[in-house]
Amino acid sequence: MKNPFGEIAEEYDQWYHKHKIIFQNELDTIKSYKPRGRSLEIGVGTGIFASKLGIAVGIDPSKQMLKKAKRRAMVVRAIGEALPFKYKSFDFILMTTTLSFLKDEEETILQTQIALRENGRLLICIIERNSQWGRRYIEKGKSGDSIYKYAKFKSTEDVKKLLKRTGFKVKRIKATLSFKPNEKPRREEPSKNYRGRGYVCIEAEKQ
């Protein structure tokens, strides 16, 4: 799949500064899982999540993104389908909205099985396709948006099935963004009730 992020590294970074409340809600949801140990972010982008979460290592295929990310974490140019790390290198792996842009999502999840230590945790955060947020971005993609036209949005159930197929056990699910995209953003606590919420994080354990 064409990588759509190479030409918008600055725009990507600025989005999180312009939408601070949304970003903080997403960040709080990830933090509620208490990432610890040696950690990796697949699809690190400009490193904005990694820097806030204390994630040590990030990968991304975009050179432009990594130029910014290297100020925030140790980064490697790579793809999720071919992780360049030794067997059992990490305790925790994060993917936030990355799943929608992978060429081979199943191979990527299998790669995380190899990279994780025993009982290591994988946290996959998605824009839920069946939420108001998912439907908005799907429509933007259909209208030719330079980023979302490449996205393959998933539902929470899709991700649960993918994790089961690849040998993971789903442990917890939390979500945020209960408000609609056209509503004024507000701060909110992560919720175990993920139905209808736009940003959903599924935690799974390596078996």
Side-chain angles (χ1 to χ4, degrees):
M1 180 183 294
K2 176 181 172 62
N3 185 290
F5 294 99
E7 298 175 0
I8 62 153
E10 187 63 37
E11 181 183 342
Y12 176 92
D13 216 36
Q14 287 302 312
W15 189 95
Y16 292 99
H17 294 291
K18 291 178 181 177
H19 301 85
K20 290 181 180 180
I21 294 177
I22 294 173
F23 173 47
Q24 194 61 54
N25 285 340
E26 294 177 351
L27 190 63
D28 287 348
T29 303
I30 297 172
K31 282 183 175 180
S32 72
Y33 288 98
K34 296 181 171 54
R36 60 183 179 271
R38 181 167 168 76
S39 52
L40 166 70
E41 182 176 359
I42 296 175
V44 71
T46 61
I48 194 163
F49 277 97
S51 66
K52 300 291 185 181
L53 295 163
I55 291 177
V57 185
I59 69 157
D60 203 280
S62 168
K63 289 189 290 185
Q64 293 87 343
M65 289 288 192
L66 293 179
K67 284 180 182 178
K68 287 186 170 292
K70 68 181 180 181
R71 299 174 300 180
R72 296 165 168 163
M74 188 184 86
V75 295
V76 178
R77 191 180 184 204
I79 59 173
E81 294 87 347
L83 294 180
F85 304 108
K86 293 180 180 178
Y87 182 50
K88 297 183 179 180
S89 293
F90 299 99
D91 300 291
F92 179 85
I93 295 178
L94 170 67
M95 295 168 56
T96 177
T97 69
T98 302
L99 195 69
S100 297
F101 295 94
L102 294 172
K103 181 178 180 180
D104 188 333
E105 60 202 32
E106 190 157 319
E107 180 57 36
T108 299
I109 304 305
L110 290 170
Q111 286 282 306
T112 68
Q113 276 275 13
I114 296 169
L116 281 169
R117 294 168 180 160
E118 296 303 324
N119 303 119
R121 295 184 297 151
L122 172 64
L123 186 63
I124 298 178
C125 299
I126 61 168
I127 301 296
E128 164 61 66
R129 69 167 288 119
N130 295 321
S131 69
Q132 293 275 354
W133 292 85
R135 287 191 282 271
R136 180 189 183 187
Y137 291 134
I138 289 169
E139 285 304 313
K140 289 183 74 171
K142 290 178 179 178
S143 299
D145 183 271
S146 59
I147 296 297
Y148 298 114
K149 68 181 181 181
Y150 295 106
K152 300 177 293 183
F153 290 101
K154 304 294 180 184
S155 70
T156 304
E157 296 306 312
D158 291 335
V159 178
K160 288 167 66 176
K161 290 175 183 177
L162 172 63
L163 289 165
K164 184 176 181 180
R165 287 200 308 271
T166 50
F168 280 92
K169 182 178 181 180
V170 173
K171 303 294 286 186
R172 292 181 293 174
I173 302 175
K174 297 182 185 179
T176 188
L177 306 189
S178 63
F179 49 88
K180 298 176 182 178
N182 59 352
E183 292 180 338
K184 183 178 180 180
R186 59 180 180 268
R187 295 285 282 113
E188 55 186 29
E189 294 295 319
S191 173
K192 293 180 181 179
N193 177 17
Y194 60 86
R195 305 290 180 186
R197 286 171 166 78
Y199 186 79
V200 182
C201 291
I202 303 103
E203 180 194 43
E205 185 176 83
K206 177 179 176 177
Q207 298 297 288

